[in-house]
Amino acid sequence: MAAVRRHRSAGPLFVAPFLVLFLLLFLAPLGYAAYLSLFQERLIGGTVFVGLDNYVQALGDSQLLHGVGRVALFFVIQVPVMLLLALLFALALDSGLLRLARVIRLGIFVPYAVPSVVAALMWGYLYGPDFGPFAQLSRKLDLPVPHFLSDGWMLGSLANIVTWEFVGYNMIILYAALRTIPHELYEAAAMDGAGAWRIAWSVKLPALRPALMLTLLFSVIGSFQLFNEPNLLMKIAPAVISSSYTANLYAYSLAFTGNQVNYAATVSFLLGLLIVIVSYGVLLTANRRRTP
Amino acid sequence: MTTTAPETVATTAAEPARTTPAHGPSARRSTPLTIAMLAALAYFLLPLFWLLIASTKSAQDLFDSFGLWFSHTPRLLTNIKETFTQDNGVFARWLLNTVVYAVVSAVGAALLAAAGGYGFAKFRFRGDRIAFNLVLGAVMVPTTALAIPTYLLFAKAGLVNTPWAVILPSLVNPFGLYLMRIYAADAIPDSLLEAARIDGAGEAKIFFRIALRLLAPGLVTVLLFTLVATWNNYFLPLIMLNDTSLYPITVGLSSWAAQAQNGGAGASSDMIALVVTGSLISIVPLVAAFLLLQRYWQSGLATGGVKQ
Amino acid sequence: MPRNTSSMSRRLFLTTTGALSLGAALTACGGGDSGGSSGSAKPVGQADIDKAMKTPTQLTFWTWVPNIAKEIALFEKKYPAIKVKVVNAGQGTPQYTKLRTALKAGTGAPDMVQLEYQAIPTFTITDSLLDLRPYGADALKSRFVDWTWGQISGTKGEVWAIPQDTGPMGMLYRKDIFDQHGIQVPKTWDEFAAAARKLHKADPGVYLTNLAANQPAAWHGLLWQAGAKPYVTSGRSDIAISVDDAVSKKLGDYWGGLAKEGVISTDPDFTDAWYTGFNKGKYATWLTAAWGPVFLSGSAKATAGKWRAAPLPQWDPAKPSSGNWGGSTTAVLRSTKNPIAAAVFAQFLNSDPASAKMFATEQFFFPATKALLTDAEFTGDAPAFYGGQKVNQLFAEIGDTVNSTFQWPPFLDQAATDWTETVGKSLADRSDTTAALGSWQSRLTTYAKAQGFTVKGG
């Protein structure tokens, strides 16, 4: 009996360390941020309670709306491309048709280990319109110089950097999931006379569904929270990347440049809310399609 | 969310992942596919190739020579030496800081996630569902929302500008908790736990002696991914740390880059060569760690991708 | 010990102490231009100062000056009980951000901090700086160039910081490119525009100058030269913002026009591409500050010997003027626990002749003290990078033409970011600069009003 009692009370004890830290490091600051978003701190006049004024202002803030629009566009373009590539690479690696599979797998994964500071440095140089290698080659070949850092191309250039950084990570998740498909399924399919493509479609893809959901979810969060890469490229393309280029960047600039901590908290909350809505929307749509 | 693959999948967590190809004789290789994948590989390695080449150049050569090939006077060793001696050898300090922050955070996060995942997976208690879903929901909050409030709270606790300001937030890894929960549910049969309890073993003993061992691959996965996340963490240490001697490598390199970029008296363009070389040096340890520990994290990730 | 020495030394001690306290008392009682002030300027007695300087103290100093250890050593030698810890918390805006956050949190802020002139009002509006008058700072006024003292003074005569170095603006030009294309050194802006067109037509790969689209400081320096007063604060909460007034529009039309014509470039500065531009002769001049010559000689080694210096082109050749870009001061934070030691440090670092000279010889800063600006060794310097021209002397003369009444806003970082996103962007995009100036004005006005200021002008 003592064993059972001990057993029942052990659960909370195991989760307590994690939850306590979670409370202190996540929930407490979050609560404080929520509190801050109801006030306004002014250089003249000090801190004033404004209720939901900040939220009303944010919903009508054209800079914020543009920033959100941009990350939404980024999401719609970059994520499918990245996940498709990750899927194709994972399938290729799992197909057994590749030589040097190990090298390729590791090589595609390596960019994940590179900090975004370094990635921005490297790509910033490669994109350079005067002295970057692509520009130099274009000039030598008498082709028009690609303007990676211009207004029209910037979102695509950022998407390229993010894809470069994370395809490997997503690929590994999908590949690992593929590796766990039991032999019996393949044998059964082979006995039914299925060719490689059919196997991929009917056996592998369904098995990948959970993994794809996972990577999709991460990508929703990552793209709407886009901050690092535009922040780091701001230095070399200041006329293109404004301080409100993405919603997260806007929140950061409000807090750290404009001394508007309260409004920044408001913007961050609204962004978080948007991410939750989009995430659940994505999950629900995917699940609904699955039920036969 | 339900699982799709049959229950047989659950056992794979305890077995090593398949190493032989799924189907077809291994003799049949496709050259076109290999070439296509090698082209993809070239794309992924191109910037790193540039970084390697650029590290062999002096600041002047960086501006003068073609980006993707060596200059006439390669000086990799000189650059490395200068990187380590600049500012009284602060670069080595930064590397050490990064290793300490990353390793401590990774080990701590992995243990906390393991204990938490084990607790959620193997025990039922009031509020466990709510707590778990709350943690998962936390992943969606942009960190910028938390930056200033966390800073203010840490300041009150006197933790700002200390290593704890970087380590503590990294110990909380919601995805790690999720992963460990699934792993624990799969890898640790309830029957084993019951048997141990009947034998009179205490919960702590069961956890450390039996459960942790079974959780090893998942644990290493969480450890490695927290390691990468902390190693590459830039935003948090940037706002928490003022003392240069506490910087991790990301903030340190960024401060050197800023020295070259921010003009005014005291600026210098020579820093650029050091930033480039420093960047190269900074990615070597992580890449090496991943190479050496491949076996573990791949099987650990397998479970996370399979179950809900 | 022989009797006379001790009595002599005691008499000497008393005399000097008496003189100092008398001096301090005189300074306090209405010695400044802005009239006497209230009790906050009450001088700290010399006895208290001496006592504090002998008490073991640890001071923290945030600065980005490289190798400042040498100057610190001078201070620590004079006051062995005081130890100064130097922290590089970033250069310019990143450091100001950190400082603001630390002040808001109430902990982690240093005792002394390096502040550029333009950043001072941003920290006085939040009452973050310590008035240095009670610690004898007024006595230093005559040692520094007039306009710098204007920059560090508050509306009630407070001394918020001690000037360290300056950046009067001039023009560095490539003599060889000018000679090659038959261009005279432009003395007026009209001549400059004509030269820009001529040069770019003759060689499309070269631009007369680069006006960086991400450099609000240069723009403000040019406004300063043109006699503009974009920000006028009167009293604590009143501010007049006029960044699109007639003078600004004149500048906007001028530079926007040149950008549209494509005869100047607008590349972001201090980037790899920009450095390479200098090395490869893309830019024929650099409109820069007095710290520019040394910087350029370190960054554009491939072009050594080809550059010369000249004053900026003028709007009115009869009244030569210039603006300032950069230069820093040392300020003390009000939150410090060691006000006396910190105040003495700030004053020593920048006014002690040996220390001030070191800034010029070791870090190659452009001095803020009159003594150094007339020092023969300094003005006689004739670097080979500039073909043996006495660059320092030229900039010293330019420094005399910087007008003293330019003011900065109490929210500099916001103003700078808004400039980059409106006017800077219009230069880079070659779009309507006048409209951009209007955007900048309205953004600043909205921001100031939201922050509780009473805004005039616009």
Side-chain angles (χ1 to χ4, degrees):
Chain A
M1 286 301 112
V4 175
R5 236 178 284 130
R6 226 183 14 225
H7 166 201
R8 261 195 238 127
S9 66
L13 284 177
F14 280 113
V15 304
F18 186 94
L19 286 181
V20 164
L21 273 179
F22 179 74
L23 185 82
L24 288 175
L25 297 169
F26 237 96
L27 292 180
L30 204 63
Y32 190 37
Y35 171 77
L36 282 177
S37 70
L38 300 174
F39 287 79
Q40 210 181 58
E41 192 189 320
R42 302 180 182 147
L43 284 175
I44 307 286
T47 313
V48 166
F49 177 75
V50 292
L52 294 176
D53 277 359
N54 283 332
Y55 287 92
V56 172
Q57 184 187 346
L59 290 172
D61 187 341
S62 67
Q63 280 185 295
L64 175 62
L65 295 173
H66 280 130
V68 169
R70 242 179 242 110
V71 290
L73 185 63
F74 183 87
F75 167 66
V76 162
I77 298 179
Q78 190 261 346
V79 170
V81 169
M82 177 176 70
L83 292 183
L84 189 64
L85 283 175
L87 184 63
L88 288 174
F89 293 155
L91 287 172
L93 286 170
D94 187 57
S95 67
L97 300 169
L98 283 180
R99 287 178 240 269
L100 301 171
R102 195 159 241 192
V103 170
I104 292 177
R105 191 173 69 215
L106 263 166
I108 297 183
F109 184 69
V110 159
Y112 178 67
V114 174
S116 43
V117 174
V118 177
L121 178 81
M122 299 189 292
W123 280 105
Y125 180 83
L126 292 174
Y127 285 155
D130 290 316
F131 306 104
F134 296 122
Q136 288 173 328
L137 279 172
S138 316
R139 261 183 237 119
K140 274 219 175 76
L141 300 172
D142 267 333
L143 293 169
V145 174
H147 289 286
F148 294 114
L149 298 174
S150 65
D151 255 323
W153 290 54
M154 180 55 79
L155 209 58
S157 304
L158 287 171
N160 175 50
I161 300 181
V162 174
T163 307
W164 179 83
E165 286 174 321
F166 291 106
V167 163
Y169 175 72
N170 288 309
M171 174 193 78
I172 292 291
I173 291 180
L174 297 175
Y175 176 71
L178 283 173
R179 291 263 115 200
T180 62
I181 298 176
H183 262 282
E184 296 86 44
L185 288 177
Y186 291 117
E187 282 158 15
M191 278 203 291
D192 279 349
W197 283 107
R198 190 74 215 281
I199 290 180
W201 186 258
S202 306
V203 178
K204 295 191 180 184
L205 278 184
L208 278 177
R209 218 182 208 111
L212 275 171
M213 288 311 307
L214 191 71
T215 53
L216 185 60
L217 211 58
F218 284 153
S219 305
V220 169
I221 297 170
S223 36
F224 277 92
Q225 284 191 21
L226 190 64
F227 171 80
N228 265 351
E229 290 78 11
N231 184 38
L232 291 164
L233 281 190
M234 238 171 130
K235 296 190 183 89
I236 54 172
V240 177
I241 299 187
S242 66
S243 59
S244 58
Y245 196 75
T246 71
N248 212 5
L249 191 59
Y250 187 44
Y252 171 80
S253 314
L254 284 171
F256 289 93
T257 308
N259 208 35
Q260 295 179 286
V261 177
N262 314 81
Y263 191 50
T266 314
V267 168
S268 304
F269 263 107
L270 287 176
L271 182 63
L273 190 64
L274 181 66
I275 293 177
V276 167
I277 293 174
V278 174
S279 304
Y280 276 111
V282 161
L283 286 175
L284 282 173
T285 333
N287 275 342
R288 207 179 304 136
R289 263 207 237 122
R290 243 193 8 197
T291 48
Chain B
M1 298 187 224
T2 57
T3 57
T4 50
E7 274 1 86
T8 46
V9 170
T11 57
T12 57
E15 301 165 3
R18 253 185 311 109
T19 47
T20 52
H23 50 276
S26 38
R28 193 186 55 155
R29 303 271 191 203
S30 163
T31 312
L33 189 62
T34 307
I35 292 179
M37 290 301 284
L38 283 175
L41 185 67
Y43 161 76
F44 286 101
L45 295 183
L46 178 72
L48 297 169
F49 177 69
W50 170 80
L51 190 64
L52 185 64
I53 302 247
S55 305
T56 65
K57 297 182 181 170
S58 66
Q60 206 59 29
D61 275 341
L62 272 174
F63 303 138
D64 286 337
S65 56
F66 178 59
L68 292 177
W69 198 245
F70 298 98
S71 68
H72 296 299
T73 48
R75 31 172 275 169
L76 179 63
L77 291 175
T78 319
N79 276 344
I80 294 181
K81 180 162 151 268
E82 277 180 19
T83 306
F84 277 103
T85 52
Q86 175 75 15
D87 286 345
N88 295 326
V90 75
F91 187 80
R93 187 65 211 253
W94 291 341
L95 272 179
L96 183 68
N97 288 341
T98 315
V99 170
V100 168
Y101 298 156
V103 170
V104 172
S105 303
V107 171
L111 285 176
L112 284 173
Y118 175 72
F120 276 120
K122 293 293 168 187
F123 298 84
R124 293 284 155 272
F125 47 91
R126 231 192 337 207
D128 63 353
R129 286 219 97 186
I130 297 175
F132 188 70
N133 286 324
L134 194 63
V135 171
L136 283 192
V139 179
M140 304 189 194
V141 177
T143 25
T144 30
L146 301 173
I148 292 211
T150 312
Y151 182 90
L152 294 171
L153 290 173
F154 270 39
K156 286 204 171 52
L159 291 174
V160 166
N161 209 29
T162 65
W164 292 113
V166 176
I167 293 175
L168 281 179
S170 309
L171 293 176
V172 178
N173 187 345
F175 176 56
L177 184 73
Y178 168 74
L179 197 68
M180 292 311 299
R181 184 205 174 133
I182 294 180
Y183 213 83
D186 271 354
I188 305 176
D190 286 332
S191 48
L192 200 63
L193 295 178
E194 281 312 313
R197 284 186 193 119
I198 291 171
D199 281 347
E203 290 303 325
K205 205 175 189 182
I206 295 178
F207 177 67
F208 285 105
R209 285 274 182 82
I210 301 174
L212 270 187
R213 232 168 263 163
L214 291 170
L215 290 174
L219 198 74
V220 176
T221 310
V222 174
L223 190 137
L224 274 173
F225 283 96
T226 312
L227 191 80
V228 172
T230 319
W231 189 283
N232 294 344
N233 206 348
Y234 170 66
F235 183 58
L236 184 72
L238 182 70
I239 58 166
M240 289 290 182
L241 302 174
N242 298 327
D243 217 334
T244 344
S245 61
L246 288 175
Y247 285 172
I249 202 85
T250 45
V251 180
L253 284 174
S254 176
S255 74
W256 275 0
Q259 273 188 48
Q261 277 170 349
N262 272 341
S268 155
S269 69
D270 287 337
M271 298 300 288
I272 289 177
L274 301 182
V275 171
V276 168
T277 314
S279 301
L280 183 71
I281 298 174
S282 73
I283 62 182
V284 166
L286 268 188
V287 174
F290 268 95
L291 271 172
L292 295 171
L293 294 166
Q294 277 184 67
R295 208 160 29 118
Y296 297 99
W297 51 263
Q298 290 196 66
S299 62
L301 267 181
T303 326
V306 168
K307 297 280 236 176
Q308 293 299 320
Chain C
M1 191 171 293
R3 216 166 40 106
N4 3 355
T5 322
S6 58
S7 64
M8 269 251 304
S9 51
R10 200 176 56 222
R11 214 179 305 139
L12 203 53
F13 175 73
L14 286 173
T15 325
T16 41
T17 325
L20 279 171
S21 0
L22 195 61
L26 280 176
T27 324
C29 303
D33 288 347
S34 42
S37 44
S38 57
S40 57
K42 190 162 176 300
V44 173
Q46 186 59 39
D48 288 331
I49 295 182
D50 290 336
K51 181 163 156 231
M53 299 313 285
K54 292 204 171 60
T55 318
T57 320
Q58 164 88 297
L59 295 176
T60 308
F61 180 33
W62 281 11
T63 176
W64 63 83
V65 174
N67 301 322
I68 202 173
K70 298 194 173 150
E71 286 89 347
I72 306 281
L74 287 177
F75 174 80
E76 286 181 341
K77 190 159 160 214
K78 182 163 182 196
Y79 301 104
I82 320 285
K83 292 276 167 278
V84 179
K85 179 171 160 202
V86 171
V87 172
N88 182 340
Q91 181 168 345
T93 310
Q95 187 203 260
Y96 304 146
T97 306
K98 277 218 157 89
L99 187 60
R100 264 202 296 274
T101 328
L103 288 170
K104 193 190 291 275
T107 132
D111 298 289
M112 298 88 59
V113 67
Q114 178 178 356
L115 281 184
E116 293 157 298
Y117 296 103
Q118 63 263 28
I120 295 178
T122 306
F123 289 97
T124 54
I125 192 83
T126 50
D127 284 329
S128 307
L129 299 184
L130 185 71
D131 181 4
L132 297 174
R133 282 179 302 175
Y135 310 94
D138 263 337
L140 300 176
K141 180 174 167 171
S142 55
R143 295 204 210 177
F144 290 96
V145 174
D146 291 341
W147 66 262
T148 64
W149 207 256
Q151 290 279 297
I152 53 101
S153 297
T155 45
K156 297 202 184 79
E158 302 97 327
V159 173
W160 293 124
I162 310 291
Q164 182 170 89
D165 63 325
T166 60
M169 287 183 75
M171 175 174 69
L172 300 176
Y173 66 95
R174 284 279 299 269
K175 183 167 186 321
D176 60 321
I177 295 182
F178 276 28
D179 289 342
Q180 185 187 351
H181 296 283
I183 296 178
Q184 308 285 45
V185 179
K187 298 242 176 334
T188 67
W189 286 113
D190 284 337
E191 286 173 21
F192 189 86
R197 295 180 188 114
K198 181 175 176 186
L199 178 62
H200 194 64
K201 189 156 170 212
D203 185 352
V206 181
Y207 296 92
L208 185 62
T209 197
N210 182 63
L211 189 68
N214 64 334
Q215 192 53 265
W219 182 266
H220 281 94
L222 292 171
L223 276 180
W224 192 330
Q225 186 215 13
K229 303 231 181 307
Y231 317 102
V232 178
T233 43
S234 45
R236 197 183 154 73
S237 58
D238 295 302
I239 183 169
I241 303 176
S242 43
V243 294
D244 67 345
D245 63 354
V247 180
S248 300
K249 285 207 172 89
K250 178 170 78 171
L251 244 66
D253 285 339
Y254 182 83
W255 289 106
L258 289 179
K260 266 207 195 114
E261 287 176 47
V263 298
I264 59 160
S265 56
T266 54
D267 310 328
D269 56 6
F270 302 100
T271 61
D272 294 352
W274 183 79
Y275 287 120
T276 319
F278 276 113
N279 278 294
K280 295 214 187 251
K282 182 177 174 186
Y283 314 125
T285 71
W286 186 23
L287 302 174
T288 181
W291 43 260
V294 172
F295 179 84
L296 194 65
S297 60
S299 321
K301 296 196 178 100
T303 56
K306 302 182 182 166
W307 292 85
R308 300 288 182 275
L312 285 178
Q314 298 292 320
W315 293 106
D316 181 358
K319 296 195 205 119
S321 66
S322 185
N324 187 66
W325 174 4
S328 309
T329 67
T330 309
V332 176
L333 291 168
R334 193 187 281 251
S335 56
T336 177
K337 299 213 174 14
N338 311 294
I340 297 178
V344 171
F345 174 83
Q347 293 171 78
F348 179 93
L349 189 72
N350 301 306
S351 65
D352 175 82
S355 175
K357 184 152 188 176
M358 254 189 200
F359 280 123
T361 57
E362 299 283 332
Q363 281 92 355
F364 304 109
F365 286 173
F366 200 77
T369 56
K370 291 178 181 161
L372 272 175
L373 285 169
T374 48
D375 177 276
E377 204 185 317
F378 178 75
T379 54
D381 192 32
F385 194 89
Y386 297 94
Q389 185 184 4
K390 291 192 185 149
V391 180
N392 286 341
Q393 183 167 11
L394 177 77
F395 274 96
E397 287 158 18
I398 293 176
D400 285 335
T401 64
V402 175
N403 86 52
S404 321
T405 54
F406 192 85
Q407 278 183 303
W408 296 98
F411 35 80
L412 179 79
D413 293 329
Q414 183 72 29
T417 308
D418 282 340
W419 181 89
T420 308
E421 291 177 12
T422 53
V423 184
K425 187 166 164 66
S426 77
L427 290 172
D429 291 347
R430 302 187 184 183
S431 58
D432 186 357
T433 312
T434 312
L437 282 169
S439 292
W440 188 27
Q441 172 76 15
S442 76
R443 275 209 202 188
L444 284 183
T445 317
T446 313
Y447 179 80
K449 285 195 180 133
Q451 290 288 322
F453 288 96
T454 317
V455 183
K456 299 180 214 133

